[in-house]
Amino acid sequence: MYSITDILDTRINVQVDQLDLLQIASSGQCFRWYPMGAYDYAIVHKGKILKIRQLTPSNLFIFECSKQEFDKVWKEYFDLDTDYQKYLDAVYESEDRFLLSSISCGMGIRILNQDPWETLITFIISQQNNIPRITGIIDKLCRVCGDPIDEAYGEMMYSFPSAEQILDHYKSLKSIGVGFREKYILDACRKINAGYNLEMLRNLSAEDAVRELKKFYGVGDKVANCVSLFGLGHKEAFPRDVWINRIIDKYYGGEFDTSRFEGFSGVIQQYMFHYERVIRE
DNA sequence: GGACAGGAAGTCC
DNA sequence: GGACTTCCTGTC
């Protein structure tokens, strides 16, 4: 899955199978990757900045961080302890033509383990919205409400704001451009500020976690599944958005059987989503 | 270049 | 089934 090939004070070299930064950056699951070149990114996560470079076309990566931080933060973020080959093998065995094309096209996509609070707000913002604009709104939200962390490539990076920080700047939400989603964001902030613990949703099944998340105002089936998949580690969560519904109509006659990929259909979903978007362009 | 219309990882009522 | 904020993108 991965092996560390070299350790220095401030960077470590890692060899990883099934990881491609450009693929993940364009897969629509994360919005805080700042490209510094196609295979060079500054990534903000849990108040930390990672500068990472992929040495293409190899599967070698340079993580600019300590060994300790790699073990504590980034290993989990990139899901490095998960073997993605077994997901690919399941698709090979299925002999499903659309999925075979999807994984071929999306080689190197992983499901990142992002922060559940950040994914909740991010995917509330994503509704009825497009990816470039989502990215811009999230960036503004962090600049206005978050804490400055450090500079990366000459630009200041900000943490994703807490519920309290967003509430402190609630008057700025309009100028940030969140639009009609403002009331949803504020409701989520108040719930979290009152002590709601999203982390506990990890202990539930994906189905129960989705049911709980849908109690948030402005969180429906799609957003709840995204939070479950990208923020809570529930790989069986299967977000159905317009793209996925289009795929199911077009290639599967309106019915897609997720039980073929018990426990990881969300991973398969991500390859499907990515492929349909790529071929549409 | 600048105006304009269409549409966007949905949800609520 | 219509309304919802705002702005990115393609088109003229």
Side-chain angles (χ1 to χ4, degrees):
Chain A
M1 291 177 261
Y2 78 94
S3 59
I4 295 172
T5 59
D6 198 11
I7 301 179
L8 290 84
D9 282 350
T10 57
R11 63 176 240 208
I12 90 173
N13 297 352
V14 190
Q15 184 179 319
V16 189
D17 294 328
Q18 314 301 346
L19 172 62
D20 187 294
L21 300 184
L22 182 58
Q23 293 274 56
I24 292 179
S26 61
S27 74
Q29 58 175 307
C30 51
F31 298 89
R32 302 230 47 215
W33 283 36
Y34 295 87
M36 307 293 166
Y39 285 93
D40 234 324
Y41 294 88
I43 298 170
V44 188
H45 168 64
K46 285 195 180 293
K48 299 202 181 304
I49 303 165
L50 175 71
K51 285 195 257 183
I52 182 170
R53 168 176 292 177
Q54 179 169 2
L55 303 178
T56 54
S58 74
N59 53 355
L60 279 172
F61 299 82
I62 300 172
F63 287 70
E64 287 195 28
C65 65
S66 66
K67 171 73 162 61
Q68 189 188 15
E69 189 177 304
F70 174 82
D71 286 338
K72 198 176 156 210
V73 181
W74 302 110
K75 195 171 71 173
E76 194 200 338
Y77 178 76
F78 285 101
D79 206 20
L80 295 187
D81 285 325
T82 299
D83 176 17
Y84 277 67
Q85 188 59 48
K86 70 180 182 216
Y87 302 145
L88 303 180
D89 288 343
V91 172
Y92 294 136
E93 283 163 25
S94 77
E95 296 183 9
D96 181 312
R97 283 191 61 190
F98 183 80
L99 296 185
L100 288 168
S101 301
S102 298
I103 61 169
S104 167
C105 169
M107 209 46 84
I109 292 178
R110 284 171 169 265
I111 303 295
L112 302 172
N113 285 306
Q114 302 183 71
D115 178 72
W117 166 245
E118 180 171 337
T119 47
L120 176 61
I121 296 302
T122 297
F123 284 93
I124 283 175
I125 291 170
S126 78
Q127 62 180 271
Q128 193 66 21
N129 213 338
N130 55 58
I131 290 178
R133 203 164 91 82
I134 298 164
T135 308
I137 290 172
I138 301 292
D139 184 62
K140 269 186 243 169
L141 183 70
C142 295
R143 284 175 191 283
V144 172
C145 308
D147 295 320
I149 306 171
D150 202 352
E151 281 191 5
Y153 302 100
E155 203 172 339
M156 184 55 76
M157 299 281 153
Y158 294 82
S159 65
F160 192 87
S162 67
E164 194 176 1
Q165 286 178 313
I166 295 174
L167 288 171
D168 285 345
H169 296 85
Y170 75 96
K171 285 183 180 164
S172 305
L173 285 176
K174 183 160 177 60
S175 66
I176 289 169
V178 298
F180 68 90
R181 308 163 194 87
E182 175 171 340
K183 53 189 179 291
Y184 304 151
I185 293 170
L186 289 176
D187 183 71
C189 285
R190 291 191 193 103
K191 275 204 174 68
I192 298 299
N193 214 25
Y196 191 100
N197 183 10
L198 288 169
E199 290 291 340
M200 76 177 181
L201 300 178
R202 288 184 196 278
N203 305 324
L204 306 181
S205 67
E207 195 183 350
D208 288 341
V210 165
R211 201 193 332 275
E212 281 302 310
L213 286 164
K214 282 170 75 172
K215 292 178 183 169
F216 283 80
Y217 184 40
V219 175
D221 210 46
K222 156 68 173 61
V223 172
N225 274 283
C226 283
V227 176
S228 292
L229 178 61
F230 302 129
L232 295 167
H234 291 308
K235 287 201 171 66
E236 61 272 42
F238 191 89
R240 294 168 190 266
D241 68 312
V242 287
W243 292 89
I244 291 295
N245 287 331
R246 195 178 297 146
I247 290 167
I248 293 175
D249 284 345
K250 208 161 128 189
Y251 305 102
Y252 293 96
E255 191 77 39
F256 184 81
D257 182 13
T258 57
S259 71
R260 289 187 289 162
F261 307 103
E262 196 82 60
F264 58 94
S265 56
V267 182
I268 304 300
Q269 178 271 0
Q270 197 62 18
Y271 289 110
M272 296 166 76
F273 174 75
H274 180 257
Y275 180 56
E276 183 67 7
R277 286 171 53 89
V278 168
I279 60 176
R280 171 96 177 243
E281 280 171 8

